[in-house]
């Protein structure tokens, strides 16, 4: 009897000892040390005990491998605050396993990045996780930067580790997103400036923005040239859904969203692999920005054309819903309306102050209401020839994958 209970006691002690030892063995560092090609990330963890030293509750660490940092190229020139926000963005709240996701499932995962300078969405900035038909799990971050989980579901004391092949990029505002990646959004952002709505749209928390691509503005160049500022404001506000971040998987067939234009409704239609808002096709969904999500669309929406729906018999693009007047051409020969309304920044050389090639549009909506065309205009951003991120076929491919 006595011997038996001693043995039992020893058993308890050794179990406790073992679990203490295994807890020790499952620290973040020790688990990462057992994996190849994580030298850079492990170095960053060591330097940032404030972020990785202790966690309040369970977390999932998205750990970029060395190749991910290699692809980034410039990460060692990140400012301290950018590095700090980037690292916080790689700490996801809760323990997320890839096995908990079904094929086609997406989750909008909250991260540890709550700094107001970087995020204006409720519950901290988020990442999207999506399980592809191939079973791969893809993470999507700002600027539609994606990464694939290459080593799944490693356990450590405070949750899970997912090793990824790209460094996730902290979402920025729509303007910076347009300038540095999605140059196809410059007409929309320029129009927000022209209508003095940039602060309203970029400054509010939790928004969904349906942003027409440049070509959609170009085919209405004459229409916009004649449009008064009040009408322009109504048109633009109709593209914004306040108080709600609606991801592609939430855009269900026949669902309706209330726009910032007096609550006027926007209707979602799904047909085969296409998703439309009114009659405009979503070309690229889920471009994360600091205050929500942007969906790039192929047509300008009309607040007085809320009943517009796609015509599925058309093989070509859906026609514009606003009445076309005057210049409607698309392509490089036609200046993009409102592109010249984007203010210049240090990284963008001033335009010729001459009412030249880029001087024709947007001048009717100068912020003081006067025309600046032909005068010595303020330096304006033109010719934003940045790296366009794939839209169109690649985007449709990504949507089909959902
Ligand atoms: C580590 O990186 C090297 C060089 O890119 C590669 O050849 C090797 O397969 C990687 N090892 C693992 C386990 O991923
Ligand atoms: C979406 O709703 C429309 C209108 O009711 C319907 O005709 C269509 O079949 C639906 N599409 C899908 C993909 O369910
Ligand atoms: C839809 O497109 C077809 C093909 O161009 C056309 O014949 C038809 O009139 C259109 N329907 C509507 C409602 O506009």
């Amino acid at each position: 009897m006595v011997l038996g209970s001693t043995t039992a006691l020893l058993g308890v002690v050794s179990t406790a000892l073992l679990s203490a030892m295994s807890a020790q063995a499952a620290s973040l560092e020790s688990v990462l040390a057992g994996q190849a090609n994580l030298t850079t990330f492990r170095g960053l963890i060591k330097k940032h005990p404030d972020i990785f030293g202790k966690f309040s509750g369970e977390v999932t660490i998205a750990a970029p491998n060395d190749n991910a940092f290699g692809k980034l190229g410039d990460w060692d020139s990140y400012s301290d605050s950018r590095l700090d926000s980037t690292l916080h963005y790689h700490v996801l709240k809760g323990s997320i396993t890839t096995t908990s996701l079904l094929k086609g499932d997406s989750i909008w995962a909250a991260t540890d990045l709550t700094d107001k300078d970087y995020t204006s969405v409720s519950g901290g900035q988020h990442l999207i996780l999506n399980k592809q038909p191939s079973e791969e799990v893809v993470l999507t971050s700002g600027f539609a930067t994606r990464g694939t989980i290459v080593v799944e579901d490693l356990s450590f004391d405070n949750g899970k580790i997912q090793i990824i092949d790209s460094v996730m990029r902290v979402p920025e505002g729509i303007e910076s997103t347009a300038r540095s990646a999605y140059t196809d959004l410059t007409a929309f952002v320029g129009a927000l400036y022209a209508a003095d709505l940039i602060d309203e749209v970029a400054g509010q928390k939790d928004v969904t923005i349906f942003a027409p691509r440049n070509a959609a503005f170009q085919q209405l160049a004459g229409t916009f040239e004649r449009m008064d500022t009040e009408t322009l404001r109504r048109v633009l506000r109709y593209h914004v859904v306040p108080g709600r971040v609606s991801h592609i998987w939430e855009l269900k067939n026949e669902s309706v969203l209330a726009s910032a234009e007096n609550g006027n409704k926007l209707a979602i239609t799904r047909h085969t692999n296409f998703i439309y808002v009114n009659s405009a096709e979503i070309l690229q969904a889920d471009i994360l920005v600091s205050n929500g999500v942007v969906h790039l669309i192929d047509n300008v929406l009309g607040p007085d054309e809320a009943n517009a729906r796609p015509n599925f018999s058309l093989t070509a693009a859906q026609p514009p819903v606003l009445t076309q007047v005057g210049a409607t051409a698309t392509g490089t020969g036609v200046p993009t309306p409102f592109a010249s309304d984007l203010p210049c920044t240090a990284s963008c050389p001033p335009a010729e102050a001459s009412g030249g090639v880029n001087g024709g549009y947007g001048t009717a909506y100068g912020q003081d209401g006067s025309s600046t065309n032909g005068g010595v205009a303020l330096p304006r951003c033109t010719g934003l020839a940045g790296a366009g991120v794939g839209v169109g076929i690649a985007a449709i491919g990504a949507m089909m994958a959902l």
Side-chain angles (χ1 to χ4, degrees):
M1 275 297 255
V2 172
L3 199 70
S5 60
T6 310
T7 313
L9 192 65
L10 273 172
V12 169
V13 169
S14 61
T15 308
L17 250 173
L18 271 175
S19 70
M21 280 164 68
S22 68
Q24 179 67 30
S27 70
L28 181 58
E29 167 54 19
S30 68
V31 176
L32 292 179
Q35 298 291 321
N37 296 342
L38 289 174
T39 316
T40 306
F41 191 60
R42 285 172 58 205
L44 289 167
I45 288 176
K46 206 164 281 175
K47 275 200 216 138
H48 294 270
D50 50 319
I51 301 172
F52 298 103
K54 94 180 213 289
F55 304 100
S56 54
E58 297 224 294
V59 294
T60 300
I61 306 293
N65 61 19
D66 290 340
N67 190 35
F69 284 99
K71 279 195 290 186
L72 202 60
D74 67 342
W75 75 271
D76 50 357
S77 66
Y78 277 26
S79 66
D80 285 350
S81 75
R82 186 171 179 199
L83 182 59
D84 204 68
S85 62
T86 300
L87 293 177
H88 277 293
Y89 192 49
H90 285 73
V91 179
L92 282 56
K93 290 175 185 159
S95 174
I96 300 169
T97 57
T98 61
T99 49
S100 65
L101 283 169
L102 300 176
K103 278 186 202 175
D105 272 0
S106 294
I107 48 176
W108 170 230
T111 72
D112 203 20
L113 177 60
T114 53
D115 186 332
K116 299 230 170 345
D117 287 348
Y118 293 96
T119 175
S120 188
V121 290
S122 297
Q125 193 47 274
H126 288 60
L127 278 167
I128 293 171
L129 280 85
N130 170 256
K131 190 172 227 172
Q132 310 272 312
S134 62
E135 302 263 354
E136 275 186 336
V137 176
V138 171
L139 276 66
T140 303
S141 62
F143 300 85
T145 303
R146 291 167 208 268
T148 301
I149 298 181
V150 290
V151 180
E152 299 182 340
D153 300 344
L154 298 172
S155 293
F156 80 111
D157 291 344
N158 302 89
K160 297 287 173 203
I161 301 165
Q162 309 290 353
I163 300 181
I164 53 175
D165 65 358
S166 290
V167 177
M168 297 290 92
R169 198 151 163 205
V170 173
E172 293 178 18
I174 187 171
E175 179 176 348
S176 141
T177 302
R179 284 182 191 280
S180 60
Y182 283 91
T183 54
D184 217 0
L185 290 172
T186 46
F188 181 71
V189 176
L192 292 175
Y193 268 101
D196 202 13
L197 288 178
I198 187 74
D199 292 341
E200 176 182 313
V201 172
Q204 64 183 294
K205 202 171 175 173
D206 295 331
V207 289
T208 302
I209 300 169
F210 294 98
R213 65 170 164 185
N214 289 352
F217 282 90
Q218 277 180 307
Q219 67 182 351
L220 291 164
T223 307
F224 282 115
E225 216 170 15
R226 290 161 180 78
M227 193 180 279
D228 62 80
T229 309
E230 260 329 294
T231 308
L232 179 63
R233 290 163 75 96
R234 289 190 62 226
V235 168
L236 294 173
R237 282 194 174 120
Y238 189 53
H239 291 75
V240 178
V241 178
R244 180 166 177 176
V245 182
S246 292
H247 297 282
I248 190 166
W249 63 90
E250 291 161 332
L251 301 178
K252 304 253 194 275
N253 196 28
E254 297 187 88
S255 62
V256 167
L257 302 163
S259 75
E261 171 44 36
N262 206 21
N264 281 5
K265 302 283 186 277
L266 296 161
I268 303 298
T269 302
R270 286 192 177 235
H271 179 70
T272 62
N273 286 315
F274 298 93
I275 306 178
Y276 301 86
V277 52
N278 294 350
S279 66
E281 185 191 329
I282 297 181
L283 298 174
Q284 182 154 6
D286 290 341
I287 303 166
L288 302 187
V289 291
S290 53
N291 63 338
V293 70
V294 175
H295 304 300
L296 183 70
I297 57 176
D298 74 342
N299 249 319
V300 176
L301 304 168
D304 300 321
E305 308 293 338
N307 294 325
R309 295 293 178 275
N311 178 348
F312 302 131
S313 314
L314 288 177
T315 44
Q318 305 292 322
V321 296
L322 298 184
T323 309
Q324 286 177 302
V325 201
T328 61
T330 56
T332 50
V334 178
T336 304
F338 306 115
S340 60
D341 288 291
L342 265 184
C344 218
T345 64
S347 61
C348 117
E352 300 285 313
S354 69
V357 196
N358 296 297
Y361 295 93
T363 51
Y365 318 111
Q367 296 202 348
D368 57 357
S370 66
S371 168
T372 54
N373 199 6
V376 180
L378 289 170
R380 294 294 195 186
C381 226
T382 59
L384 280 154
V389 172
V391 294
I393 291 165
I396 290 162
M399 282 171 41
M400 286 169 71
L402 286 170

